[in-house]
Amino acid sequence: MVKEECKALLDALNKVAACYRHMVLTIGGTADSQNLREELRKTRQKAQELAVANRNKLTGVLKDKTVSKEDKAEFERLWVIFSTCLEILEVDMRRALELGHEFPLNVPKKHLIQTGMSGGTSGVAARAMSVQNMKYEADHNIDVVDLKDLEKEINQVGEMMYEMEMKVNVPHWTVEAKQDPGAELKSTVSMGASSMGMISVEENKSFCDISKVLAGVIFSAVLIIAIVLAVCVVKLS
Amino acid sequence: YTVDPKGQQRIWSALCPYHPLQIEGLLMEMQNPDTGIKTHTQRVMITNIPHAVAGGDILQWIIQHLQITEEEALRLGTMVVKFGYIYPLQEPKNLTLKTDNNLYRFQVSCLVAKMLWLCVTPTFPSIYLAKKNIKRKGDLEEYEKEHYNLLNKKINYKWDFIIMQAKEQYKAGKERKKADRYALDCQERAYWFVHRTPIMYYRQALMKSTVKSSVSLEGLVKYAQQLLTNDPFLAVCLPSNPWITDDPTFWDLNAKLVEIPTRMRVERWAINFSELIRDPKGRQNFQLFLKKEFSGENLSFWEACEDLKYGDQSKVKEKAEEIYKLFLAPGARRWINIDGTTMGITVKGLKHPHRYVLDAAQTHIYMLMKKDSYGRYLKSPTYKEMLDKAIVPQQTVRKSSNFSFTRRQLRSSPSPVILRQLEEEAKAREAATAVDITQLCQFTAPVPHLAVYTGTRAPPSPSNPSPSCLVPTNLPLQSPGHVALPNSTVCPSPISVALESAPGLETRWETNGCNSSHFPSITESTEISTDSESGPCNSQVPGHADTKVPPKARMSLSFSRFLKRGCLNSPVFATLSPKCPAVPHGKVQPLDDLEQQLQQTSKRVAK
């Protein structure tokens, strides 16, 4: 039970970290906006909450002497995953801070880098926050205001990592990965991947399929209405 | 796959007189909707991705904005592409600026210089490769597969996370617009292509053996205890600690190649071999001893290997060739005695020379010196003499001349330019005395004291005319080893200096027929580098060559120099000037024919 809970918490943190990375990669480019900065803030705070939850749970379990050897090994493995995730998160947060300082949004002289990206990241943010739609309620100078909080939170994460190393004695290099290299290929179901050279044909196909189905439905509906009208006309006349 | 910030800085400062921050400013300017570069839309199948710029437009913009020549703008543009600020869209692996309609795009990732420091952990490239693996369904390129496997071995304990994160990043990416996803893919690929590392760095890291912490801690404690008395802050410093008494005598007495070192310093050489070899004065003294034992070539070889590893990397091929000719080739003038296997590995590696190609041989020679010569050295009259000569300075007590209200006289240390001149002179003097020994005994060769190891940095080439708004910078070098070496040797390689000055030079040209075609090219490059450099080096080397070489050799040397001047062609000259990044590849010596000879001789020997 505890193992499943830990795993679930870790998966949640992993998901939020991945979304955060996507958003951080957008800062400074043409898709940057006040909304993005708000999304970053919210995602980051969620990540922190999850990190604290993970840490509490895992430290509790690792300190528990009644845990069996196999379970302990598994929890140590999860611990290593957790600390690596925090490491990534911290780097991304620092990057966000640097870029945030470098690219303030309300200064007309500072131009955004023309990275070729123009769409928003609201979908990514919604995925991170596990909501259907994102609500934007922040001020229009959040890009500057948020930086102080960001700095504080980076320090918090740094301290958390330090405490973790001091209190929990898990030598990382003794943990062996469960998954073999290349395991990432096995369980990804939907393979509508965009390969490097061109947008994949498969994706286009599925897109067209949906629109085709929709067109078919509309057509048949129109046909039915036309038939019904014709029948009415015939009946009335 | 890693970002090596120091290495990048070194490469950047060697190749480009502009500081990275200035480049960033320039790139920001390019984004200006009014005065920046015109953008086009890139069309990929049915998707349009904006913000593509043409190479020709980039070039024109740089020329107009910076008011520089087309050639320099092209160089700057290529640098910008090489370092990843702009990446090519149609030929992603070709990191040059093409001035036609080839399209490029900007990316933020490389932009902030400080951020280069943030990606040093190998976790990031691993996640990238795993993600790419998913996208390509396992169809990675060969070098990517190799990197993947090496990274897997190196950070195996993180691999579960890497796979988890790669999958999640892939899924999160689907929430973005298709065009954005494509642009992001291109951008990431370009970033990691720019920041890939030669695989051997990883192979080396994997091969390092690990030590138990109890053992290493004991070693650390022992080291600290042994060297406690040498620490000027924790123990008494003779004559006085300059930081406390403001008296720089301590530094003067302990200068790199001071005539008479302090006793403490000489005693330190007896602690272990690495203490001896990291002190330039210690090496000098050790070399004296080795010459008497007729094994001076060992230390010279070791020093040449260090120069290869930490010196100017654009000259790696030439340096490796010279080292081979001087130390390793059959019948070489200063042939070193290494076993057949190591020789075989080294010669094989020399076909594709890189900075670590001589590691195996260097380690062999190092261990040889350590186990064999070092013990005898400590008992030798050379060392004992040095110990007797060594001075023990008197401890001076600081006079309490404190709180005088007159401004204290600030004395500045001598200019590094002057220091370098003095060292060159000292080197020349040493080489001169060494030449006499060669007359007596044909087995030893003159030992050039390599300016490289005196630890002073060559100042960045002052002959570079930079545009008015940009100033060349001098970024500090930090080498991983103990010895600080200049990153761009403005002076010619000391080996070639030795070649030039050695009286036995003309005889070499007859005996080694197959080498002769390459010899002129090497000395030609030496000529060119002596011609092109400015500053103190110039005054020393030609003078040295003229006065120390006996008349017969001098005549033949000057005749050959005259011949070579005639065939000096400007592209060669231009490429060897400090400004230009590329080294002409036409001068690569094919070692195949030499290797075949080696194999044949070894076969004969084996039989």
Side-chain angles (χ1 to χ4, degrees):
Chain A
M1 250 317 277
V2 188
K3 234 192 276 184
E4 274 74 40
E5 284 171 24
C6 286
K7 192 93 208 344
L9 269 177
L10 206 50
D11 283 338
L13 178 63
N14 184 40
K15 185 173 75 167
V16 174
C19 295
Y20 190 66
R21 174 138 186 104
H22 264 278
M23 290 188 259
V24 170
L25 284 177
T26 317
I27 307 178
T30 33
D32 198 354
S33 63
Q34 295 287 0
N35 284 351
L36 173 69
R37 305 299 177 97
E38 191 180 340
E39 288 165 7
L40 281 163
R41 180 187 171 84
K42 291 190 169 154
T43 313
R44 184 181 80 226
Q45 287 171 339
K46 174 130 198 222
Q48 282 221 286
E49 288 167 21
L50 282 170
V52 170
N54 263 291
R55 180 202 59 186
N56 293 341
K57 200 138 195 110
L58 279 171
T59 41
V61 160
L62 286 170
K63 286 199 170 144
D64 191 354
K65 308 281 183 182
T66 64
V67 171
S68 73
K69 239 193 173 179
E70 299 97 42
D71 280 352
K72 185 147 191 178
E74 174 62 13
F75 286 124
E76 286 184 353
R77 189 186 73 95
L78 291 179
W79 178 260
V80 169
I81 294 178
F82 173 53
S83 38
T84 322
C85 194
L86 267 190
E87 179 191 318
I88 299 259
L89 209 57
E90 197 205 359
V91 172
D92 279 338
M93 283 164 76
R94 281 188 197 274
R95 193 189 158 100
L97 185 65
E98 292 291 340
L99 287 174
H101 278 301
E102 194 68 31
F103 293 100
L105 291 173
N106 290 331
V107 177
K109 275 203 173 173
K110 279 278 190 177
H111 309 289
L112 295 171
I113 305 291
Q114 291 164 321
T115 50
M117 291 192 257
S118 45
T121 42
S122 47
V124 181
R127 185 187 169 85
M129 305 300 290
S130 310
V131 295
Q132 280 283 11
N133 294 305
M134 286 292 291
K135 285 201 201 107
Y136 299 100
E137 41 208 13
D139 299 328
H140 35 243
N141 60 347
I142 187 174
D143 58 323
V144 172
V145 165
D146 190 38
L147 291 177
K148 286 212 183 73
D149 288 341
L150 177 53
E151 234 182 296
K152 244 190 279 168
E153 287 171 36
I154 292 176
N155 290 331
Q156 282 174 6
V157 172
E159 274 173 31
M160 191 189 322
M161 285 171 69
Y162 178 75
E163 266 181 47
M164 278 163 56
E165 295 223 2
M166 292 295 118
K167 288 190 181 160
V168 178
N169 189 11
V170 174
H172 290 202
W173 49 91
T174 57
V175 167
E176 261 186 51
K178 254 192 184 174
Q179 305 198 59
D180 294 325
E184 61 268 18
L185 293 170
K186 289 178 195 161
S187 51
T188 32
V189 178
S190 53
M191 280 302 191
S194 54
S195 59
M196 282 314 173
M198 35 182 200
I199 311 276
S200 100
V201 183
E202 286 168 274
E203 265 191 341
N204 282 343
K205 271 198 191 146
S206 62
F207 221 33
C208 295
D209 281 342
I210 292 171
S211 55
K212 267 191 196 156
V213 164
L214 210 62
V217 163
I218 293 171
F219 181 69
S220 41
V222 166
L223 200 61
I224 289 167
I225 293 170
I227 293 172
V228 163
L229 280 172
V231 164
C232 289
V233 162
V234 162
K235 270 204 175 160
L236 283 173
S237 60
Chain B
Y1 270 99
T2 188
V3 178
D4 173 21
K6 286 181 194 162
Q8 297 249 304
Q9 271 187 336
R10 228 179 289 168
I11 295 170
W12 180 276
S13 59
L15 300 177
C16 182
Y18 309 103
H19 193 275
L21 280 177
Q22 291 159 332
I23 299 293
E24 282 170 24
L26 196 69
L27 281 159
M28 300 286 206
E29 268 306 303
M30 289 186 191
Q31 315 299 323
N32 194 322
D34 308 314
T35 62
I37 309 185
K38 192 167 54 130
T39 59
H40 307 275
T41 308
Q42 180 198 13
R43 199 178 172 79
V44 181
M45 303 251 298
I46 56 167
T47 325
N48 287 328
I49 303 161
H51 310 142
V53 287
D57 290 343
I58 299 177
L59 187 70
Q60 288 309 314
W61 189 91
I62 295 177
I63 293 175
Q64 278 172 16
H65 198 89
L66 289 178
Q67 296 290 311
I68 52 179
T69 65
E70 179 165 336
E71 195 196 330
E72 189 159 352
L74 189 57
R75 248 206 305 270
L76 177 61
T78 307
M79 284 290 304
V80 167
V81 174
K82 271 208 161 47
F83 277 78
Y85 295 99
I86 300 179
Y87 61 96
L89 297 176
Q90 280 123 337
E91 284 174 63
K93 297 228 183 110
N94 187 356
L95 295 177
T96 55
L97 184 68
K98 293 221 166 125
T99 54
D100 48 19
N101 284 323
N102 254 285
L103 293 176
Y104 296 82
R105 191 172 283 129
F106 301 96
Q107 64 165 323
V108 183
S109 311
C110 299
L111 208 62
V112 181
K114 309 163 221 173
M115 288 198 324
L116 286 177
W117 292 85
L118 292 178
C119 283
V120 183
T121 159
T123 320
F124 286 97
S126 312
I127 296 176
Y128 163 70
L129 283 171
K131 225 188 333 179
K132 190 165 183 194
N133 209 9
I134 299 175
K135 283 191 198 132
R136 300 281 240 150
K137 299 177 204 176
D139 181 28
L140 295 174
E141 301 195 34
E142 271 313 309
Y143 75 94
E144 287 174 336
K145 283 192 187 149
E146 226 186 322
H147 269 111
Y148 185 97
N149 291 329
L150 275 169
L151 281 166
N152 182 356
K153 264 191 232 150
K154 191 177 184 211
I155 46 170
N156 183 272
Y157 58 94
K158 288 187 185 176
W159 215 256
D160 285 341
F161 170 72
I162 286 171
I163 291 183
M164 273 170 73
Q165 177 71 195
K167 282 194 204 160
E168 268 304 324
Q169 282 191 16
Y170 174 73
K171 285 183 204 162
K174 296 211 163 158
E175 301 288 339
R176 301 200 68 164
K177 215 170 89 174
K178 207 198 302 186
D180 283 0
R181 216 182 317 154
Y182 180 74
L184 197 60
D185 274 349
C186 291
Q187 184 179 303
E188 253 195 324
R189 176 178 57 172
Y191 180 82
W192 289 113
F193 185 70
V194 168
H195 292 117
R196 71 197 188 287
T197 332
I199 285 206
M200 78 194 60
Y201 289 131
Y202 278 121
R203 290 219 186 99
Q204 284 202 322
L206 281 173
M207 290 197 295
K208 275 194 199 143
S209 55
T210 46
V211 182
K212 265 180 129 167
S213 58
S214 54
V215 173
S216 58
L217 285 172
E218 261 181 55
L220 271 172
V221 171
K222 189 168 158 210
Y223 176 83
Q225 282 171 340
Q226 257 180 338
L227 290 169
L228 180 66
T229 43
N230 287 66
D231 190 316
F233 281 98
L234 296 177
V236 174
C237 169
L238 305 169
S240 60
N241 190 327
W243 294 111
I244 298 174
T245 59
D246 225 8
D247 176 17
T249 320
F250 175 71
W251 289 326
D252 296 332
L253 293 176
N254 283 298
K256 291 273 163 34
L257 281 176
V258 69
E259 275 292 321
I260 303 175
T262 59
R263 196 182 178 89
M264 196 167 271
R265 185 174 178 181
V266 181
E267 282 171 0
R268 191 171 174 163
W269 301 342
I271 295 176
N272 59 48
F273 185 57
S274 65
E275 290 290 335
L276 174 66
I277 212 159
R278 67 195 289 254
D279 186 349
K281 189 73 190 167
R283 276 203 301 272
Q284 196 189 53
N285 195 247
F286 188 50
Q287 182 69 298
L288 233 62
F289 167 74
L290 288 177
K291 276 195 285 188
K292 296 207 178 113
E293 292 211 329
F294 307 125
S295 47
E297 64 272 4
N298 288 340
L299 188 60
S300 302
F301 175 71
W302 186 88
E303 289 179 328
C305 290
E306 289 288 290
D307 179 46
L308 180 68
K309 281 202 291 201
Y310 304 121
D312 192 352
Q313 283 304 295
S314 63
K315 303 203 176 84
V316 156
K317 286 202 176 90
E318 292 140 342
K319 285 189 188 167
E321 282 175 42
E322 285 173 18
I323 295 177
Y324 175 79
K325 267 182 240 153
L326 189 59
F327 295 103
L328 298 168
R333 191 159 57 84
R334 307 188 70 189
W335 191 74
I336 53 164
N337 191 4
I338 54 177
D339 62 292
T341 352
T342 318
M343 181 64 93
I345 297 169
T346 311
V347 172
K348 206 166 144 196
L350 279 168
K351 272 198 250 187
H352 304 284
H354 53 83
R355 68 201 319 177
Y356 295 114
V357 68
L358 296 169
D359 253 6
Q362 190 186 5
T363 317
H364 183 104
I365 291 293
Y366 182 86
M367 296 313 280
L368 189 69
M369 290 194 288
K370 177 175 176 179
K371 295 197 175 136
D372 193 27
S373 321
Y374 181 56
R376 288 199 298 276
Y377 166 72
L378 289 179
K379 302 187 197 129
S380 70
T382 323
Y383 178 65
K384 298 221 168 94
E385 207 184 298
M386 186 56 95
L387 205 55
D388 291 331
K389 261 203 307 188
I391 52 178
V392 181
Q394 285 283 352
Q395 182 174 26
T396 59
V397 178
R398 183 191 185 180
K399 276 199 175 160
S400 49
S401 61
N402 40 10
F403 304 124
S404 57
F405 288 101
T406 56
R407 199 146 165 247
R408 220 186 297 178
Q409 194 77 22
L410 292 172
R411 292 154 292 174
S412 64
S413 48
S415 148
V417 174
I418 296 177
L419 278 177
R420 199 182 173 86
Q421 263 180 332
L422 293 171
E423 275 159 6
E424 291 291 315
E425 283 165 18
K427 182 178 78 153
R429 261 182 273 127
E430 287 284 345
T433 55
V435 166
D436 298 330
I437 298 177
T438 338
Q439 310 290 21
L440 302 168
C441 172
Q442 52 184 168
F443 291 115
T444 54
V447 177
H449 281 284
L450 311 171
V452 167
Y453 299 96
T454 55
T456 49
R457 257 182 289 127
S461 50
S463 55
N464 244 345
S466 45
S468 50
C469 53
L470 298 168
V471 174
T473 56
N474 186 14
L475 292 168
L477 170 77
Q478 294 178 42
S479 68
H482 299 299
V483 184
L485 296 164
N487 58 352
S488 52
T489 43
V490 181
C491 293
S493 148
I495 301 168
S496 41
V497 171
L499 289 175
E500 248 197 285
S501 65
L505 197 63
E506 342 76 275
T507 53
R508 287 292 299 150
W509 291 358
E510 276 88 70
T511 49
N512 250 352
C514 57
N515 274 343
S516 60
S517 55
H518 305 290
F519 233 77
S521 67
I522 300 297
T523 35
E524 183 178 46
S525 64
T526 322
E527 295 294 344
I528 292 165
S529 45
T530 45
D531 285 341
S532 67
E533 76 204 20
S534 56
C537 289
N538 229 355
S539 52
Q540 296 309 312
V541 173
H544 157 238
D546 282 339
T547 53
K548 310 302 171 195
V549 172
K552 180 183 170 205
R554 202 199 311 164
M555 256 186 3
S556 56
L557 266 178
S558 50
F559 179 65
S560 58
R561 234 181 276 165
F562 171 76
L563 274 177
K564 276 169 240 141
R565 284 249 165 83
C567 13
L568 253 185
N569 40 355
S570 46
V572 173
F573 186 87
T575 47
L576 282 168
S577 78
K579 253 198 265 181
C580 186
V583 167
H585 288 282
K587 295 205 165 72
V588 171
Q589 172 191 2
L591 284 169
D592 308 284
D593 44 322
L594 287 167
E595 199 202 85
Q596 281 176 16
Q597 280 188 19
L598 185 69
Q599 282 178 351
Q600 286 170 6
T601 50
S602 61
K603 276 188 200 152
R604 266 184 261 132
V605 169
K607 281 177 190 165

